[in-house]
Amino acid sequence: MVQFYSPNRRSVNRGIISVTADNLDAQGQGIARHQGKTIFISGLLPGEQAQIQLTEEKRQFAKAKVVKRLSDSTYRVAPRCPHFKVCGGCQQQHVATELQANTKASVLEHLIQRETGVQVSAHPIIHSPDYGYRRRARLGLQYHAKQRALLMGFRQSQTNDLVNIKHCSVMRPELEQLLQPLSQCLNSLSAVKRLGHVELVLADNGPLIVLRHLDPLKHEDRESLRTFAVQHNVAVYLAGDEKSLELLMEEQPEPWYQVDGLKLVFSPRDFIQVNDAVNQQMVKQALAWLDLQPTDRVLDLFCGMGNFTLPIATKVQSVVGVEGVAALVSSGQYNAQLNELNNVDFFHENLESDIHQQPWAALGFNKVLLDPARAGAAGVMSHIVKLVPEKVVYVSCNPTTLARDSKVLLEAGYHLVSVRMLDMFPHTSHLESMALFSREPMVIE
């Protein structure tokens, strides 16, 4: 008789356990200890007692759900959004934003110290408005045959189902007020079953909407959208595929936003920072850390459309921006001309490939800024070291890759001078940060 090996499965204790949370993790889960094991409990805050039930158990930790909360923390607040606990967009509206931000800062400090051995403070935190901060949002569209209605919203937590959003407290009010009339307009279209998604963007000169449609729109549908655009003073763009983009009413102006006194025109599909208030502070902090001088030659890697590059150009001899997305490079070049900045060069290059043959790599720079995606900047760190810049500012959307890439600079003799936690996305687990490295020891006031 053939026997097959079957590993022992760790059984989950389904009994009720009483615990008190003593900490919070970056995902907003309460942390408690029971019989030497760490337990992560969704919805429980530090200081709160609760009866819980384990949902997953590992050798070193377990996860649990609250059966009954026995006390309330002073940091527990009433969520503003009616879709909280259903929508997967915001998970921490029940937590005071002060605790959210301080927890993220502590997570950042711990991670950097654990990975690099350097003890740093992520304070003062660069704060955001608690609500009404998001100037860009992408909502799914899903036709529900039984309801005979188009659902418009965000995914439910851990599912592919849409929550039909009528309010969104983290959106800028100018965008939130468009949700219900936009839903009504889209539901009236004959193409209602063949719509993909919709993006809402708030430029400094007004809101715009990008509608992804899977089939060509009939004249009647285009007229309905044109009426909506006029009634709500919004620019409507039609996207028949992932590359094309048609402005429904051609007389409407190009969208733009301001940063550090400059006007940056962008395409609705260009990446721009979602949180304008934090972006303004972030750019200001980066420029201050770099201590820009008229003789500086600055390199800006993963530069996008020049969110940092162009403000830097107003203060230095020259700046070079390198970016992998051709459309963003074109926008950067256009905006350099628009703002009459003649000391800027943009290069369209893949920074994840062999950079040593790329033309910008032969140039010399004395200061460097980089703002990579979540994967980090492993491919360029050794070249940054070869440049021997006086200062390096690293803007990060992933603390794990920031800590990893920091090791390269630290091993090359650089000093990690300062770190900031950027509260770019309150009520979510996203942790943005920035760090300053210097070739010489220095003290930041």
Side-chain angles (χ1 to χ4, degrees), residues 331-349:
S331 292
Q333 292 169 333
Y334 177 85
N335 283 306
Q337 295 176 357
L338 180 67
N339 290 281
E340 299 181 347
L341 297 170
N342 302 316
N343 58 341
V344 186
D345 287 308
F346 286 94
F347 290 84
H348 174 217
E349 300 288 350

Side-chain angles (χ1 to χ4, degrees), residues 33-34 53 55 57 60 130 133 152 156 163 181 187 202 209 216-217 224 227 245 318 321 329 353 380 390 408 420 423:
R33 273 82 182 175
H34 181 74
Q53 186 176 53
T55 57
E57 189 168 10
Q60 300 296 331
D130 293 354
Y133 64 81
M152 182 180 78
Q156 289 186 28
V163 179
N187 267 284
L202 183 62
I209 290 172
L217 294 179
S224 294
T227 299
L245 198 63
S318 64
V329 171
S353 65
V380 301
E390 301 165 23
V408 179
R420 292 283 184 274
D423 198 14

Side-chain angles (χ1 to χ4, degrees), residues 6-25:
S6 178
N8 293 327
R9 295 183 178 177
R10 186 171 297 276
S11 61
V12 177
N13 178 3
R14 297 295 182 182
I16 304 299
I17 302 170
S18 293
V19 298
T20 300
D22 57 20
N23 211 335
L24 195 71
D25 72 359

Side-chain angles (χ1 to χ4, degrees), residues 108-122 410 416-419:
L108 177 62
E109 292 165 358
H110 174 75
L111 181 60
I112 289 177
Q113 183 173 10
R114 187 188 70 191
E115 296 298 319
T116 69
V118 179
Q119 187 171 354
V120 294
S121 170
L410 295 171
L416 178 50
V417 177
S418 192
V419 175

Side-chain angles (χ1 to χ4, degrees), residues 97-301:
T97 49
E98 176 189 357
L99 179 59
Q100 291 182 39
N102 286 331
T103 298
K104 291 178 186 179
S106 296
V107 168
L108 177 62
E109 292 165 358
H110 174 75
L111 181 60
I112 289 177
Q113 183 173 10
R114 187 188 70 191
E115 296 298 319
T116 69
V118 179
Q119 187 171 354
V120 294
S121 170
H123 293 74
I125 294 167
I126 294 180
H127 285 284
S128 164
D130 293 354
Y131 288 95
Y133 64 81
R134 179 177 275 276
R135 65 175 171 183
R136 184 173 206 139
R138 176 168 170 163
L139 296 94
L141 300 174
Q142 190 176 79
Y143 186 76
H144 198 288
K146 290 185 179 180
Q147 298 181 21
R148 295 185 178 180
L150 181 73
L151 305 182
M152 182 180 78
F154 301 113
R155 304 291 175 190
Q156 289 186 28
S157 179
Q158 300 180 341
T159 77
N160 287 323
D161 296 330
L162 284 183
V163 179
N164 197 33
I165 295 293
K166 296 183 178 180
H167 302 279
C168 181
S169 302
V170 297
M171 280 188 192
R172 291 283 297 270
E174 299 94 327
L175 298 182
E176 185 187 25
Q177 68 186 12
L178 292 173
L179 290 176
Q180 294 193 51
L182 176 60
S183 177
Q184 293 170 2
C185 175
L186 297 182
N187 267 284
S188 73
L189 303 182
S190 62
V192 64
K193 298 179 182 179
R194 299 291 293 163
L195 302 177
H197 60 260
V198 64
E199 290 187 71
L200 281 69
V201 184
L202 183 62
D204 282 10
N205 57 328
L208 61 98
I209 290 172
V210 180
L211 176 63
R212 174 78 169 94
H213 54 96
L214 306 180
D215 298 327
L217 294 179
K218 295 180 179 179
H219 174 75
E220 294 80 3
D221 284 352
R222 296 172 71 93
E223 286 302 308
S224 294
L225 289 167
R226 188 173 282 108
T227 299
F228 174 85
V230 172
Q231 288 178 342
H232 298 278
N233 195 27
V234 57
V236 174
Y237 292 78
L238 303 177
D241 56 47
E242 292 298 334
K243 294 184 179 180
S244 67
L245 198 63
E246 174 195 353
L247 180 58
L248 187 60
M249 300 169 65
E250 295 183 358
E251 65 273 14
Q252 290 175 308
E254 297 175 299
W256 53 269
Y257 74 93
Q258 285 188 315
V259 61
D260 200 45
L262 301 176
K263 178 179 178 180
L264 273 63
V265 172
F266 64 95
S267 163
R269 282 191 165 149
D270 285 349
F271 171 81
I272 62 171
Q273 292 289 352
V274 164
N275 191 323
D276 178 57
V278 171
N279 184 56
Q280 300 289 341
Q281 296 176 74
M282 178 177 68
V283 171
K284 182 179 179 180
Q285 181 67 82
L287 270 58
W289 274 356
L290 287 170
D291 188 25
L292 298 171
Q293 303 298 322
T295 56
D296 285 340
R297 303 176 313 282
V298 183
L299 174 64
D300 182 6
L301 298 172

Side-chain angles (χ1 to χ4, degrees), residues 79-90:
R80 184 180 296 185
C81 180
H83 306 291
F84 180 68
K85 287 190 175 181
V86 182
C87 174
C90 299

